[in-house]
Amino acid sequence: MSSHNESQDPGDVQAAIPTQPSRRRFLQSAAAAATVGAAPHLRAQTQTPTAPPAQVQQAVPPRPVTLTVNGRAYTLQLEPRVTLLDALREYAGLMGTKKGCDRGQCGACTVLADGRRINSCLTLAVMHEGETITTVEGLAANGTLSPMQRAFIEHDAFQCGYCTPGQLCSATALLNEFRNGTASTVTADVRARPAQLSDDEIRERMSGNICRCGAYANIVAAVRAVHEGGGQNSGANTPNA
Ligand code: FES
Ligand code: FES
C-alpha cells in the first residue's frame, strides 16, 4: 500500500506549495519598484537645465556729446551710460583725473563742474553738456601753477601723487565754498557764516578725498597756507573756481 505522498505527481507537489514569493524574489521586486519610482527624479538630475530665453538688450547707440573742459570744447561720440570720468580719460584723453574706486568712495576722480566739486565716476557725461568742466589739467594757466598747486609742492602734500589731482580740485573748491559761507558738519553755527577755516574745518571739508599715502597733515597745511595767503583766486585759474 502506498502512501498518499508516494503516489503524488511531482508537479502536484509544486502546485500544493503555497504561492508566497521567496525572500529573494521579494527583494528583487522591491528593488525594481524603487528604481522605477526614482527614474523620473534621476532623469531630472541628469538632464541639462535649459537656459531661460536670453533677454535681448538693445544697445543705445553713441551720439555726439559736447563737453567744455578746461576752456576747450570736446565733441565726443558717447553712449549715454559713459561716466564723466571715462569720457574725460578714455575719450578726451585727459588722463590727469584718476580712477581709484570708480564708486564714489575715494575722491580721486574729483573735478569741478561749474565750480562745484563732483565725483566724476558717479555722474554721466551726457548730464554735463553746457557746463564748464575743470580738471587738474585746467588749474594751471599759461604754464603757471595755481596757488593751490604751488602750496602742495611747497608743503610736500603728496607722496605717490595718485590722489593729488582730486585733492587739488577738491581743495580749490573748498576755499571758494568757505568764502561763499557754506557750512560744514563741524561748523558750530550752521545758520551763520563759518567764522574761520580751522584745521578741523579743512579736514572735514577734505574728508571725501582719501590719500592712501597718508599725506593728510601736509595737505591741511597746504590748504591753510593758501587760505591765509588771501584765499582769493584760491587755487584755480578758472572763472568759476
Ligand atoms: S574713483 Fe570716483 S570716488 Fe573713487
Ligand atoms: S599721495 Fe599717494 S595716495 Fe595720496
Side-chain angles (χ1 to χ4, degrees):
M1 175 178 172
S2 64
S3 70
H4 174 74
N5 286 341
E6 288 173 341
S7 62
Q8 203 166 9
D9 184 273
D12 294 340
V13 173
Q14 287 290 334
I17 296 174
T19 56
Q20 289 183 347
S22 69
R23 176 180 168 78
R24 172 174 297 180
R25 183 176 295 276
F26 172 78
L27 291 175
Q28 287 172 339
S29 302
T35 304
V36 170
H41 177 63
L42 290 174
R43 273 200 303 277
Q45 281 188 331
T46 53
Q47 281 176 348
T48 304
T50 50
Q55 298 286 327
V56 178
Q57 298 283 337
Q58 296 292 337
V60 180
R63 72 165 179 85
V65 176
T66 300
L67 299 175
T68 303
V69 186
N70 303 331
R72 175 183 159 189
Y74 292 80
T75 299
L76 311 169
Q77 292 291 327
L78 300 178
E79 292 179 40
R81 62 181 175 173
V82 174
T83 64
L84 179 59
L85 174 59
D86 284 342
L88 292 170
R89 288 180 56 86
E90 310 300 334
Y91 293 81
L94 296 168
M95 308 296 277
T97 305
K98 300 303 183 212
K99 181 181 285 189
C101 62
D102 206 19
R103 60 186 63 189
Q105 294 177 342
C106 71
C109 64
T110 304
V111 299
L112 307 178
D114 285 346
R116 289 176 298 111
R117 47 182 169 166
I118 58 172
N119 288 333
S120 60
C121 69
L122 289 186
T123 187
L124 300 174
V126 295
M127 298 165 64
H128 297 280
E129 283 189 298
E131 295 181 357
T132 298
I133 308 296
T134 304
T135 68
V136 68
E137 291 97 336
L139 296 182
N142 302 321
T144 302
L145 296 179
S146 73
M148 191 64 75
Q149 288 174 307
R150 289 198 298 275
F152 265 57
I153 294 171
E154 289 161 8
H155 291 270
D156 200 17
F158 52 88
Q159 292 179 40
C160 77
Y162 195 82
C163 71
T164 308
Q167 302 275 7
L168 285 166
C169 288
S170 203
T172 297
L174 178 161
L175 292 187
N176 290 323
E177 289 165 10
F178 179 79
R179 193 172 63 229
N180 293 334
T182 306
S184 80
T185 56
V186 298
T187 302
D189 183 357
V190 295
R191 293 164 299 183
R193 295 178 69 90
Q196 61 171 342
L197 189 62
S198 64
D199 284 358
D200 277 351
E201 285 275 5
I202 295 173
R203 278 191 283 267
E204 167 59 25
R205 291 168 189 260
M206 291 296 289
S207 61
N209 292 80
I210 307 301
C211 175
R212 63 187 172 184
C213 297
Y216 296 113
N218 295 9
I219 291 170
V220 170
V223 175
R224 189 194 322 120
V226 178
H227 173 62
E228 291 173 350
Q232 303 300 314
N233 189 21
S234 56
N237 297 317
T238 59
N240 293 310

